[in-house]
Structures are given as C-alpha cells and as structure tokens.
Amino acid sequence: MDFQRSVCSFRDGMCYCSWTCGFPYVRHRPALQLVAVPRFQGAPLYRSYLITSVHNRDIQSWLDLRGKTFAYSDPDSNSGFLYPQFAMQEQGVEPYKWFRRGFFTWSHRNVVEAVASGLADAGAVDGYVWETLTQIHPELTSQTRVVLKSPEFGHPPIVAGTRYEPEALANVQRALLDMERSPEGQHLLQTLNLDGFIPGDASLYDSVEHMMMAVKPHPRP
Amino acid sequence: MTGRLSYRVRVPLSLIATSALTALVLGVVIAVHTYHNLQQDLVTGARQLGSAMVTALGPALKHEDIWLAYTILRGPREEAGNDPAEMVLLDENLNVFASNQPKRYPTALPLARTNTALAKLPDRLADGLPSHFSTYDRISAEHLVAVVPVLADDIAVGVLVISHPSGIFWPRFWDIAYRGLLSILIVLVVIAAIGWYWGDRMVRPLTRLASCMSRVGQEPLDHIQCELSSGNDEIGRLEQGFRQMLNDLRNKASLEREMVVSERLSALGRLVAGVAHEINNPLAGLIVAVNTLKRHGTMDPQTERTVTLIERGLQQIRETVAALMVEARMEAHPLSHQDIDDVRTLVATHCEKRQVTLLWHNHLEGSIKLPSTPVRQVLLNLVLNAIDATQPGGDVACEVETRGQSLSISVANNGTPIPPERIEHLFEPFYSTRRKGIGLGLWITYQIVQQLHGDIDVKSNAQRTCFHVVIPLASTAGEQHAA
C-alpha cells in the first residue's frame, strides 16, 4: 500500500473528491469542504514521527540532528514537512541551516527507506503510515527507530470542492460512513488499517493551521 | 637418463610432453587474452552503465533531488544491495550527492572525507572535472575506478564515479580456465592412450629384433627362427639386414663345417695312403717269403699249419690295405646308359628280398666322358646302402642325369633319418652302425668321388635321406687330372 496523496487542482474541475493531507486542506480551506475523516486507532487523529536508524543511538531529540542529513516526505505534507519545520523552530533553530542537508523523498514510505538505507540520518514520517508499514513491511520499519512522536493532529481528511453537488456529496459521505457496517467495507478498512470514517469537524485542523502560520517558508528544505 | 627408458614409454611421453607444452603455450596465450578481454569488458560495461545513468542523473542533480538520484543509482528495489559496483554521484564541488552505498558515502559529505579508497580521487580531479569517460588507476588495487561526467550544456556539473571490483571477473576467468584445463586433460589422456598404442606398435618389431639378435651367439644359428616383417621403412630395412646377416652367418658356419669334414677326410686319406704304403712294402716281402717257404721248405704238419695261418693273416692284411687304398681305375670304357641300368639289374634281387621299391630314373643318353667302372661302383655303393637303410615297404629313388658339364647322381630313401652328429663322420673309414660290413663303403665312395674331382653331400630329415653326387665330365676333369 503506497500512500500517494495527490493534491488535485479542484479549481480546474479535474477532480471533485480527494484524500489529502491536513496541510493542503487548511491552505486551500475556502475552496474545499470536509467529506469525512478516517478513524485510526479509535480516533480521527494521527501523529508525525521523527525516525532514525535503529543502529543510531546518538539522536534523541531535534537538536541532535545538527550536521545530519534529513529526509522529508513532501512539501505538501503536514507530518512529513510542516510539523518538523515547526518543531525545529520551536527549539529555536532553522532547519536548512541546522541540517547538513535536507531533501524530499516524495512519499512517507520513501522516508522510511531513506533512513533505513542510511541515505538520511533521520526523517519525518506520517505515524499512521509507519504503523501500517510495521504490519505489512516489518523488515523495513525494523531498521528504523522512532525518536519522538508529535502531538496529535487531525487525520488526513477526504475533501471535496465547494462546487460539488450536495446530493452526490451526501451519497459519497454516506458510503464512507457506512463502510464499517458491511463485510466488504470492513475488508477494505482492514486493508487501509483504519477503523472507519466520521463526518469530522474543520476545527480538527486548527493546530495545523496554527503551525502553517507560524512556520517561515524557505525555498530550500 | 631417457636412454634407460623403453621406447614404449618414451613415445607416449614425448607425445604427452609435446601436447602439454603446446597446450600450455596456447593456454597461457588464451588466458592472457581472456584476462584482457574480461578487463576490457569491465571497462566497456562501466562506460555503458555510466553513460546510461548520467542521462537520468542530470535532471536529479539539477533539481537537487537526492531521492531521485538515489533510486536511479540503487536500481530496482529487488536488486538493491546486490550490485557489486559502488556508484557515487558527486556535485561540482566533489561532495557526495547520492550513492548506492549511502552508509559508505554519506550524502553532502566531501568525497575526500569519506573513509574509502575513493577518498584519493578528488586529488586526481584537482585540475577540473573530466569532460568524457575516464578510468583512474592506482586509486584502489581491487577496484576499477571510472568517472563519467554529468553534463549540462556541455559543462560538467557533477560526475558519476563507478568503482567496480576488478576481481569480479576472476570467477568467470577461473571458470574458463577450469574448463580449458579439463579439456586439455581429457585430450592428454586420449593422446596418452594413442601414444601408448602407437609406441607399442613401433617398438614391437624392435623388441622382436632385439630379442632375436640377442640369441645370436647364444644358440645354434639353425635354431634361430624369427618372425620378421618386410616393410620398407627403417625398421623393415633393419630386419631385412638382420635376416641377410643371419643367412650369411649360417652359410659361413655350414661352409666351415664342410671344410672341417673335408680337411679331416683328406688328412685321413693321406694318413691311410702313407700307412698302406709303409705296410705294403714289408708285406710283399713277407708274402713272397711265406710262399717260398711253403713251396721249397720241408715242414712238419705243425709248422705247416702255422705258416698257412700266417699266410691267411698276411692275405687279410693285404686285402684290408687294398680296400683302404682306393684306386679308381680310369682306363675303363666311357659311361653309357646301359652301365647305369646294369646296376639296377644287380640290385633287383636284393630289393625283392628287402621288400623295397626301387624307383629308377636313368636320363643318360649316349656315352659320356667318364670312366664307367668307378661311377658304377659309386652308384652301386649308394644304392645298396639306401636299400639297407630302408624299412620293408619303403622306397629308394635313384636319378642319374647330366647337368651341363657334370654328371648328377641322386640316391634317396625314406628310411630312418641320419642324426646330424653322424653325418659329420659318415664318410670316415670303419664308421658303421650296421652289424654286418666293416664300414668302408662310404669311405670308398668318397675316395672315388674325390679322385674323379667330384663332390658328394648328404641331406637327411625325417622324411627323406638323400645322397647327391656331382662329377665334372672328363674333358675338364682329365685336364685337371693331368695337371
């Protein structure tokens, strides 16, 4: 299972409904509406993990990453880019100066691979993805160690453009919410390592919006 | 050293040695060639791999996409870690951008600071990045180091370093060498077998000849019977020479034997003649004295008996001496067909008594210049001897003919053969194995033939015993005799 969370251009009308990260959701909030939020381990919440190699005992905090290489997942990811930048800033350091080199791997799974292979000394990964990978690719995650877990954020939601027809939207929403009540749905949820879906609330993503406002953008990762 | 070895061993050994030397030289040439080829393959492989990769690595370097560069360098995920080649992408400052061995070549670290053999490379690149594929020796003993530039608008913006273990072709090399060696060994075994067979074939006539030759001088020449080939090659010629030598030796030995016999017989003849002459002179006087005594003396009966006894004894001495003193009477008439047939008539009754068949072949025509009496005596002696030596029911064959300027008489019978040791003494006087007779028949025959300047010889084997007499005709013999 590879989580490729495409950020679609809703304004172009090419895509009406998408599973996206909380970061792009809050960034484009006026043009989007919430359809459903996945429940993971009982709550519509997840965390960002700071991971390093299982052999690396030196890294215990963000400050230990000075002069190290760091793998982000994607510039549009909350857990894989926004939060680590925010966390570093909270510690009083600027990431692009603090790291020897930071780079994007374009997916959460690739972050785990980059850390496991030694390409990056550490990386920021979606906690939900890491936990799911421990079930399906334990040989990969066993090479990594979780250093820190972030506070909980609203889980990446299912969103739709505001121009979406209400009836159709209601049908999609009902299908998602009813998924856990049918065997096929349960099977699908099991594959996705989710408990089910809830309608959700925009306030779930307030902390993400707060971080977005706080982080000073920089052209280099 | 090799002189002590048999050719049976030397021929296959030489073959194997020659083949092994050829194989060794060929093997070394092929091995060196293969080594160079494999090494060249390695360089070619690195060049192809490098140029294919830099095309994809260019954009990754340009967009600073380390992850993309890494995925290109490590190849498909399933093969990650299996590639023996180390590939390091360096930016224009010779810092590691990405590599397929991130733990050995940490990203964003100067290559010179990595704890690897490639740390020496930046010194060699100090004059600027190469603009085309280049290999660098003396960086690492075990690695082929190749550098491929990553070009953007014909300017090198980074380089891909490929460090190939140079020993990677050794397993392939040994595999080729092992197969080659195995084939050579198989061929050598086949050649050894062929060589053994060939050596054996070549040496067999030589061994036969050698063992045959070693018998010369150890055994009587007549016992040496060797199977010899008659090829036209060197060995064949050797064998022919040996055969010729053996024949010459045999002829020489037989000639020597004949000479010994003939010399002995002629010495014996001279002795007999001398003795006879010395006996005859007093003997004649003694006989005359005894006759005179008998005719004119007055003797009592006792004395008369004694004188008669002396006279008979003296007569016997005279007869014996006369018999020994063979004197062919040359004044007889010339030999004719009838003279020969007369002998047949003479022996006919004797033949019947002995139940022996006489086969008579008289080819004489007219009369020939030889005295009839001695020739007839020779023929008679021989035929009588032959009849006596033949078992009842046997044959005696007699053939008389002129051959050129000589007369040939053959008398053969199929009786008991004469052993070789007797043949040597056959013509000596008083040499007889028969109970009757005193053994002078063949002595007389021999003496007559000698006086006629002829030759007599005898051949005897299990089937047949044959006496052969050749007497030259008188026109030449008479001259010799007169001389």
Side-chain angles (χ1 to χ4, degrees), chain A residues 189-202:
Chain A
L189 285 170
Q190 210 175 349
T191 313
L192 293 169
N193 194 27
L194 292 172
D195 302 329
F197 288 91
I198 57 164
D201 189 274

Side-chain angles (χ1 to χ4, degrees), chain A residues 9 17 28 34 48 68 102 131 136 142 145 147 154 157 187 190 199-200 211 221:
Chain A
S9 176
C17 195
H28 303 287
L34 214 53
S48 165
K68 306 287 184 191
E131 296 292 349
I136 52 176
S142 65
R145 170 175 73 87
V147 180
H187 182 73
Q190 210 175 349
M211 288 194 295

Side-chain angles (χ1 to χ4, degrees), chain B residues 86-98:
Chain B
E86 289 183 337
M87 287 182 283
V88 188
L89 179 63
L90 303 177
D91 62 19
E92 54 195 334
N93 301 318
L94 302 180
N95 294 326
V96 176
F97 185 77

Side-chain angles (χ1 to χ4, degrees), chain B residues 74-362:
Chain B
R74 98 181 155 181
R77 199 172 279 145
E78 308 83 60
E79 288 170 21
N82 291 339
D83 195 346
E86 289 183 337
M87 287 182 283
V88 188
L89 179 63
L90 303 177
D91 62 19
E92 54 195 334
N93 301 318
L94 302 180
N95 294 326
V96 176
F97 185 77
S99 89
N100 64 344
Q101 303 276 329
K103 282 174 184 148
R104 283 171 54 76
Y105 302 97
T107 293
L109 207 66
L111 182 63
R113 277 176 54 198
T114 59
N115 190 19
T116 62
L118 291 184
K120 285 183 246 165
L121 184 63
D123 286 343
R124 305 279 293 275
L125 299 176
D127 297 337
L129 301 182
S131 56
H132 50 80
F133 177 88
S134 325
T135 55
Y136 291 83
D137 49 9
R138 297 197 305 279
I139 299 277
S140 158
E142 299 95 34
H143 290 79
L144 166 84
V145 178
V147 172
V148 198
V150 181
L151 301 173
D153 300 329
D154 290 339
I155 295 161
V157 291
V159 287
L160 172 64
V161 183
I162 299 173
S163 170
H164 228 298
S166 49
I168 194 168
F169 62 78
W170 281 115
R172 244 181 95 194
F173 179 77
W174 286 125
D175 188 52
I176 293 171
Y178 170 74
R179 282 158 195 268
L181 201 69
L182 205 67
S183 327
I184 287 171
L185 281 178
I186 291 169
V187 169
L188 282 185
V189 166
V190 171
I191 285 177
I194 292 172
W196 188 261
Y197 171 74
W198 194 5
D200 193 52
R201 261 194 69 170
M202 258 182 78
V203 169
R204 210 178 296 148
L206 277 179
T207 342
R208 210 164 49 206
L209 193 59
S211 76
C212 208
M213 276 177 146
S214 66
R215 285 164 65 190
V216 175
Q218 309 278 328
E219 296 175 33
L221 287 168
D222 291 332
H223 288 189
I224 303 174
Q225 295 294 334
C226 298
E227 243 183 77
L228 297 174
S229 71
S230 50
N232 269 331
D233 54 2
E234 286 79 357
I235 291 174
R237 293 215 297 270
L238 203 60
E239 290 184 332
Q240 278 170 22
F242 176 67
R243 199 158 32 208
Q244 183 64 45
M245 189 192 86
L246 213 56
N247 276 340
D248 290 352
L249 280 176
R250 276 195 195 121
N251 289 343
K252 189 170 163 260
S254 112
L255 207 63
E256 277 173 354
R257 216 165 35 234
E258 279 170 22
M259 272 177 70
V260 167
V261 170
S262 140
E263 274 172 18
R264 195 167 55 218
L265 285 172
S266 82
L268 210 54
R270 283 195 303 277
L271 180 70
V272 165
V275 169
H277 183 72
E278 290 305 313
I279 290 172
N280 272 346
N281 285 340
L283 189 64
L286 285 174
I287 290 170
V288 169
V290 169
N291 276 342
T292 311
L293 191 63
K294 276 178 78 180
R295 209 170 292 158
H296 305 289
T298 47
M299 290 174 286
D300 57 61
Q302 177 68 34
T303 310
E304 196 176 330
R305 270 202 305 277
T306 309
V307 168
T308 309
L309 190 70
I310 291 170
E311 191 187 20
R312 279 208 306 274
L314 292 173
Q315 281 301 335
Q316 197 181 340
I317 292 172
R318 196 172 66 173
E319 280 164 20
T320 306
V321 170
L324 279 168
M325 289 280 290
V326 179
E327 199 68 53
R329 281 180 293 162
M330 301 299 176
E331 70 279 12
H333 68 267
L335 184 68
S336 68
H337 186 90
Q338 191 53 49
D339 290 320
I340 303 299
D341 276 357
D342 285 348
V343 176
R344 186 187 187 180
T345 316
L346 279 172
V347 299
T349 23
H350 192 55
C351 272
E352 274 172 31
K353 216 191 294 173
R354 297 274 306 166
Q355 294 173 339
V356 168
T357 312
L358 184 64
L359 305 168
W360 200 259
H361 303 287
N362 182 359

Side-chain angles (χ1 to χ4, degrees), chain A residues 100-101 106 110 113 117 119, chain B residues 64-65 67 74 77 107:
Chain A
R100 184 165 90 238
R101 187 72 189 251
W106 313 107
N110 289 350
E113 277 187 35
S117 71
L119 185 65
Chain B
E64 300 199 10
D65 194 336
W67 178 256
R74 98 181 155 181
R77 199 172 279 145
T107 293

Side-chain angles (χ1 to χ4, degrees), chain A residues 5 7 20-27 44-50 62 70-88 104 107-108 111 123-129 150-157 204-213 215:
Chain A
R5 281 179 208 135
V7 179
T20 186
C21 184
F23 182 28
Y25 167 64
V26 295
R27 201 158 34 172
L45 302 169
Y46 79 122
R47 298 168 193 266
S48 165
Y49 288 178
L50 171 64
W62 291 104
F70 193 86
Y72 297 110
S73 71
D74 191 290
D76 279 328
S77 169
N78 167 40
S79 56
F81 184 55
L82 181 62
Y83 169 72
Q85 284 195 303
F86 176 76
M88 297 283 281
F104 294 112
S107 92
H108 289 284
V111 171
V125 65
D126 185 328
Y128 156 68
V129 174
S150 73
E152 290 176 324
F153 306 110
H155 204 282
L204 271 171
Y205 303 98
D206 286 350
S207 58
V208 178
E209 192 167 14
H210 168 70
M211 288 194 295
M212 186 180 77
M213 304 306 244
V215 169

